[in-house]
Amino acid sequence: MKDIFKGKVVLVTGGTGSFGKKFISRLVDKHEPKKVIVFSRDEMKQYEMRKKFNHPCIRYLIGDVRDVERLHRAFHNVDIVVHAAAIKIVPTAEYNPFEAIKTNVIGAENVINMAIDNNIDRVLALSTDKAANPINLYGATKLCSEKMFLAANNYSPEGTIFSVVRYGNVVGSRGSVIPFFNECKAKGVVPITHEGMTRFWITLDQGVDFVVNSTNDMNGGEIFIPKLPSMKVTDLANAICPECKQEIVGIRPGEKLHETMVPADDGIYTYEYEERYVTYPDVICHERKIIPGGKKLELDFDGYRSDNNDQWLSVDELKKMAENA
Ligand SMILES: NC(=O)c1ccc[n+]([C@@H]2O[C@H](COP(=O)([O-])OP(=O)(O)OC[C@H]3O[C@@H](n4cnc5c(N)ncnc54)[C@H](OP(=O)(O)O)[C@@H]3O)[C@@H](O)[C@H]2O)c1
């Protein structure tokens, strides 16, 4: 397979985050990029990252996706942008809606405009299952962002191509449930929102693989969705702290009982492949290119959700994943 990153200048917005660090270490170890640019705001996170990742091809740029001028400068001579910067914690976005919109929606618009103005070859944006039938502001901002990246292909029919990767909860990422359950061990009590709650589950390595492959395969306009296993939140609690009492505390504002990765209504635009779904844009002005090897979903498709999944993680598998996170 052609390696799209080889010899290229790659910029990662949010390059100091959980995804960014893993992705950049993969690029440098396996893909021989010409240069990798980390683009994020906090100098301390960059300082800490530089201590671990001091490869000569990595550049560290302080910048905010809300700042158009800075993006314009950073995108000069870049070939590929992977857009990972986001406000991503559900309660943070609920409580600070204007800030979430500025980063996740206006920031996405800035990335799109600067990519087109700088003739970037391809832009891949990271999204989340919370963007599918969203019920919280985080999901709603990521849905807006998805729509904007897909529509951006119409603004540059012969130039930059834009696609999206949408996946579920990342095992052990910053602010996720594993570090939280680990903290609960000392108290002997794990708060569980609802005993029936389910989630999709992906490791950082799987997420990075999927982004690498999707960036290779994209023609512009796709939402790439991996087929992932589901887990029961009570099984995760049993895997991390079996000795703890599970206390039911109720579903939090903005939380769903189950997550949706492909809504039933998007079935008509979606093809199923062996290891992924690909949703093609409903509104597009140029030729839609369907990646070969897929089967169009039937009209009676009921949605791809964490509760109707045919792959489930056992307590033992969850235990191993949590230990390696
Ligand atoms: N973690 C998950 O479970 C999960 C699941 C599905 C999808 N995703 C998506 O995957 C992406 C990466 O997630 P992650 O887990 O790596 O998040 P993360 O660990 O919180 O990292 C976020 C990164 O974005 C940067 N950032 C935040 N606001 C910024 C701004 N205004 N301008 C520039 N950089 C900014 C942060 O650095 P500074 O604070 O220094 O700027 C950090 O480098 C996000 O788009 C998220 O929505 C995550």
Side-chain angles (χ1 to χ4, degrees):
M1 189 172 70
K2 194 177 103 196
D3 184 348
I4 198 75
F5 295 105
K6 190 169 176 183
K8 297 286 173 56
V9 179
V10 185
L11 182 142
V12 185
T13 70
T16 56
S18 306
F19 167 82
K21 282 190 285 195
K22 194 76 163 187
F23 177 68
I24 288 166
S25 95
R26 172 77 64 81
L27 281 189
V28 169
D29 288 349
K30 301 245 164 81
H31 295 276
E32 299 175 51
K34 184 172 167 193
K35 200 198 291 183
V36 179
I37 301 169
V38 176
F39 185 91
S40 63
R41 298 163 307 169
D42 173 23
E43 67 171 333
M44 276 315 286
K45 284 198 216 74
Q46 292 198 359
Y47 171 74
E48 294 299 331
M49 183 169 168
R50 194 186 285 114
K51 283 199 281 190
K52 283 196 197 134
F53 300 91
N54 203 12
H55 193 279
C57 82
I58 305 182
R59 304 283 187 283
Y60 290 87
L61 288 195
I62 296 287
D64 191 324
V65 293
R66 300 178 186 188
D67 179 347
V68 177
E69 278 177 26
R70 185 63 176 148
L71 277 177
H72 190 56
R73 177 73 62 218
F75 279 19
H76 185 64
N77 281 336
V78 168
D79 300 303
I80 300 172
V81 170
V82 173
H83 177 50
I87 287 180
K88 65 154 202 192
I89 296 176
V90 170
T92 309
E94 293 298 290
Y95 197 68
N96 303 276
F98 298 161
E99 299 306 308
I101 290 167
K102 279 182 198 155
T103 295
N104 296 357
V105 181
I106 312 291
E109 181 187 1
N110 294 339
V111 167
I112 290 165
N113 284 329
M114 290 308 104
I116 294 173
D117 290 353
N118 283 281
N119 291 320
I120 308 287
D121 291 340
R122 52 185 69 203
V123 178
L124 188 95
L126 267 64
S127 189
T128 160
D129 49 9
K130 293 180 176 58
N133 294 344
I135 60 156
N136 54 52
L137 192 88
Y138 168 54
T141 60
K142 295 296 271 191
L143 175 64
C144 290
S145 163
E146 285 187 357
K147 298 265 181 207
M148 289 158 72
F149 278 103
L150 302 182
N153 290 286
N154 295 329
Y155 300 133
S156 68
E158 318 245 302
T160 313
I161 55 171
F162 299 87
S163 295
V164 168
V165 156
R166 181 196 287 162
Y167 55 56
N169 284 17
V170 176
V171 181
S173 62
R174 285 195 321 148
S176 73
V177 65
I178 288 185
F180 176 65
F181 279 2
N182 273 324
E183 281 164 28
C184 295
K185 274 185 187 168
K187 295 183 203 134
V189 179
V190 192
I192 300 285
T193 46
H194 190 287
E195 59 257 278
M197 184 173 275
T198 62
R199 289 291 180 264
F200 288 105
W201 211 222
I202 185 170
T203 65
L204 258 182
D205 274 320
Q206 288 167 335
V208 166
D209 285 344
F210 196 71
V211 168
V212 167
N213 293 339
S214 303
T215 313
N216 255 308
D217 294 349
M218 63 189 270
N219 293 310
E222 304 88 359
I223 305 178
F224 293 99
I225 300 150
K227 288 186 179 170
L228 297 176
S230 290
M231 57 124 187
K232 296 193 179 98
V233 175
T234 47
D235 284 348
L236 183 68
N238 282 328
I240 294 180
C241 42
E243 63 287 354
C244 290
K245 180 171 171 268
Q246 296 185 6
E247 192 175 272
I248 306 297
V249 293
I251 294 183
R252 295 176 305 171
E255 234 180 12
K256 287 182 185 176
L257 186 54
H258 309 294
E259 292 290 358
T260 298
M261 200 75 90
V262 185
D265 293 329
D266 281 351
I268 47 172
Y269 311 113
T270 303
Y271 282 63
E272 181 174 7
Y273 298 79
E274 201 182 332
E275 291 181 343
R276 64 186 175 190
Y277 292 93
V278 181
T279 300
Y280 293 92
D282 47 351
V283 180
I284 194 154
C285 306
H286 56 86
E287 194 200 347
R288 179 182 288 143
K289 292 185 194 147
I290 305 293
I291 296 168
K295 184 168 164 279
K296 200 170 191 307
L297 292 177
E298 303 290 338
L299 268 182
D300 62 356
F301 171 68
D302 189 29
Y304 174 46
R305 302 189 310 269
S306 58
D307 61 321
N308 69 357
N309 202 347
D310 52 15
Q311 292 182 62
W312 288 87
L313 290 162
S314 67
V315 174
D316 283 345
E317 286 167 323
L318 285 166
K319 200 171 169 182
K320 271 193 208 122
M321 283 172 97
E323 281 165 4
N324 294 328

